Amino acid sequence: MKFDKKLFLILFGDSMLFSGIIIAITVLWQLLELLAYGELRPSKVDTIIAILLGISLYINLKALFKLW
């Protein structure tokens, strides 16, 4: 199997963008919990919502960058 540098860079860039979005959502979510409750309350629902929001933001940001 031949190594495709262009494909690798595209996949690496996309994975870094997705990871950055998920990290930003997680940090903001935890800051809001600290402000609202004074403590962090981990929940499975929070994880599911963060993943869905992250996927949505990723898809929309990719579409926005293609328009530019």
Side-chain angles (χ1 to χ4, degrees):
M1 185 173 168
K2 186 178 176 185
F3 179 73
D4 189 1
K5 185 176 180 181
K6 184 177 179 181
L7 178 63
F8 172 76
L9 291 175
I10 291 171
L11 291 175
F12 182 75
D14 285 349
S15 64
M16 292 304 291
L17 175 64
F18 185 70
S19 299
I21 290 170
I22 294 297
I23 290 170
I25 290 171
T26 303
V27 169
L28 290 173
W29 196 282
Q30 289 179 352
L31 286 173
L32 288 172
E33 281 187 348
L34 279 174
L35 289 173
Y37 304 122
E39 64 182 359
L40 295 178
R41 298 181 181 179
S43 170
K44 290 180 183 178
V45 175
D46 292 347
T47 305
I48 293 169
I49 292 172
I51 290 171
L52 292 175
L53 181 60
I55 292 170
S56 174
L57 285 173
Y58 172 76
I59 291 170
N60 288 314
L61 284 174
K62 288 292 288 185
L64 179 66
F65 289 145
K66 285 183 182 179
L67 291 176
W68 287 352

